[in-house]
Amino acid sequence: MTNFNVSQNYKHTMKGILFITIIGFLFSCYLTNKHKKDLSSSTDNYKKLDTLVSFSGSWLSEDYFNEIVKNKSPRKAQDGALFIVIPQKTLSLTTIIHNFHEGGTLLEVVSNKNNYEIWEVQDDSLSQKVYDVKILSPSKISLGDKTFVKISSDTDTENFIVLDEILFKGNYTDTKNNKIEFKSNGQIVGMDSFKFYESVIDYYDEGMQVDQIRLGDSRDKLDYYGFKFKGDTLNLYKLNCLEFDSTSNNCGVVEYGQLIYKLWKQK
């Protein structure tokens, strides 16, 4: 009888130990999974952080910027150009404009601790990280293997300004020693014939065989003219139409025509 009681007690004890072990194991799994979920939730929280972006503004690929500064011909420099407007706050939509002709996928800037990332957006959700942002200086960043130069603090994603800022902006004198100013907002001061201008950055369409600028008395009525920079001299020309496209009702091939203005840019 004594051996039987010991055996029974042993079985009960082992069952209790096994039960406690199972409960402990399940509780441990629960805590581990909860920790993983909490950690995952905490890790993903930065993707929803709505905060100011320290490097907001208009950014232009450095190779295009350097080509414009060197040769002052947007038509020749267009291939390979990249442009992006970095919004003032995270979680705001933007995109990279390729060659000033087509946009890429929708993007959002995300703040991850002390770093910034750019994520692709699909179906109103962040789908994948496409760039780590490296801030090289207040006027230079890198996205992947591409370096970008800041050309202005403007964050307008609808009417962005590029060449107005880095090519035309400045003070000039004409052949009569009149003082003329091209402002970065597209306004011209001191020129009788024209009050506003708009630089042409996309040369992939018809009638774009020479560098062009749009000029006029009002922002909503601008005509196309040719331009050439020779050093600090800006020459403005009428355009001659060599081939008219009756299908599109536009001039398909143009060349420089009559010289109408010669302006000297002041340093």
Side-chain angles (χ1 to χ4, degrees), residues 2-18:
T2 302
N3 291 336
F4 174 79
N5 288 336
V6 170
S7 178
Q8 288 291 88
N9 288 338
Y10 175 77
K11 290 180 179 179
H12 285 304
T13 300
M14 291 305 296
K15 286 182 179 179
I17 292 173
L18 180 61

Side-chain angles (χ1 to χ4, degrees), residues 21-87:
T21 301
I22 292 173
I23 293 299
F25 175 75
L26 293 175
F27 186 68
S28 175
C29 290
Y30 166 77
L31 290 178
T32 301
N33 290 335
K34 184 176 185 302
H35 176 70
K36 287 181 178 179
K37 288 180 180 179
D38 291 344
L39 183 61
S40 175
S41 175
S42 175
T43 301
D44 288 343
N45 279 342
Y46 77 91
K47 297 178 183 178
K48 302 176 182 178
L49 181 62
D50 186 3
T51 185
L52 293 174
V53 176
S54 64
F55 59 102
S56 64
S58 297
W59 295 84
L60 189 61
S61 53
E62 186 178 37
D63 49 0
Y64 178 87
F65 176 86
N66 290 341
E67 182 67 20
I68 290 296
V69 172
K70 180 181 178 181
N71 296 317
K72 299 179 174 60
S73 173
R75 185 178 65 85
K76 294 179 180 178
Q78 183 174 357
D79 288 346
L82 297 173
F83 177 79
I84 184 171
V85 174
I86 301 295

Side-chain angles (χ1 to χ4, degrees), residues 113-144:
K113 296 181 181 178
N114 295 323
N115 300 311
Y116 288 98
E117 302 168 353
I118 293 182
W119 284 65
E120 182 178 317
V121 177
Q122 290 186 357
D123 299 325
D124 297 326
S125 299
L126 299 179
S127 61
Q128 62 177 337
K129 183 175 72 171
V130 290
Y131 298 114
D132 286 308
V133 181
K134 292 183 179 179
I135 301 177
L136 306 177
S137 74
S139 60
K140 192 175 290 189
I141 62 173
S142 66
L143 307 180

Side-chain angles (χ1 to χ4, degrees), residues 194-212:
F194 308 116
K195 304 298 181 186
F196 298 94
Y197 76 100
E198 181 181 286
S199 52
V200 178
I201 54 179
D202 184 3
Y203 288 83
Y204 284 173
D205 296 321
E206 61 179 0
M208 290 291 161
Q209 289 76 30
V210 300
D211 288 309
Q212 295 177 41

Side-chain angles (χ1 to χ4, degrees), residues 174 178-181 188-195 261:
D174 63 11
N178 294 316
K179 297 188 181 302
I180 297 167
E181 181 184 5
I188 301 175
V189 178
M191 187 178 285
D192 293 335
S193 303
F194 308 116
K195 304 298 181 186
Y261 274 101

